[in-house]
Amino acid sequence: MGTHIDCIIPKEKDYSVKEVTEKLNGVFEKVKPEYLHLEKSGTFTKKVNGNWWITKIEADKENPEYVTGEGDSFNINIYKNVVCIGCVERFSSLYLTEKSISNDLFKIITELGEVFRSSNKILIGAGGFGETDFITDIAYIQNANFEQICKKMTKINGNPAKSLKELNEKSWFLKE
């Protein structure tokens, strides 16, 4: 279930490239031990250094403006109404405790989301195989907001998990 992890949070304000970079670098410093453990024990995370590449993509005839970037097995896309954070580690890494990275991975993802929101709202889904592909498309192309995305996820994937333990049976987690 899921080739990667997608996290979506409500966007509360606009951010400059510099501001995004500073926020993401600050998270690295805050949770550096978790990043290093992910590098050591994760499947796809290699050579963490806390550096992010961030850029603004200007609007064109068919696509809206957004901010995008990558760093240390994570990526970020800031659309009009939501912030999407992705991770290359498998979705199952969030609930398979024998991998010993689930707590670290969840902490990094939630810390990345926390610097861009004041609410507790967070959606974490299994990326790939269609679970979140459609959702990220409507966030980007149709400017869907967090509530619209949650409704569509429920329609596509059923009710969300309310804890990480439930993720072995469900393809997404929601905290409102």
Side-chain angles (χ1 to χ4, degrees), residues 72-110:
D72 295 329
S73 297
F74 291 87
N75 65 63
I76 189 166
N77 291 299
I78 302 176
Y79 302 126
K80 182 177 181 180
N81 292 311
V82 295
V83 176
C84 299
I85 299 164
C87 179
V88 298
E89 294 293 339
R90 297 280 192 238
F91 182 74
S92 61
S93 298
L94 286 170
Y95 61 85
L96 293 177
T97 55
E98 60 269 13
K99 281 192 160 187
S100 78
I101 62 170
S102 59
N103 289 335
D104 296 313
L105 193 53
F106 187 72
K107 185 171 182 177
I108 294 168
I109 290 169
T110 56

Side-chain angles (χ1 to χ4, degrees), residues 21-36:
T21 303
E22 288 171 356
K23 287 179 175 294
L24 295 172
N25 289 338
V27 169
F28 178 79
E29 292 304 318
K30 186 174 181 179
V31 292
K32 192 173 185 175
E34 287 82 0
Y35 268 103
L36 294 174

Side-chain angles (χ1 to χ4, degrees), residues 4 23 32 41-42 50 58 107 127 132:
H4 64 276
K23 287 179 175 294
K32 192 173 185 175
S41 302
E58 298 295 334
K107 185 171 182 177
T132 60

Side-chain angles (χ1 to χ4, degrees), residues 27-73:
V27 169
F28 178 79
E29 292 304 318
K30 186 174 181 179
V31 292
K32 192 173 185 175
E34 287 82 0
Y35 268 103
L36 294 174
H37 185 256
L38 190 59
E39 175 186 47
K40 180 182 173 189
S41 302
T43 305
F44 301 102
T45 302
K46 306 291 181 225
K47 299 180 183 176
V48 299
N49 59 22
N51 294 326
W52 281 80
W53 166 83
I54 306 292
T55 192
K56 182 178 182 179
I57 306 296
E58 298 295 334
D60 62 25
K61 293 177 186 175
E62 298 175 14
N63 299 304
E65 171 184 288
Y66 69 104
V67 173
T68 188
E70 297 179 353
D72 295 329
S73 297

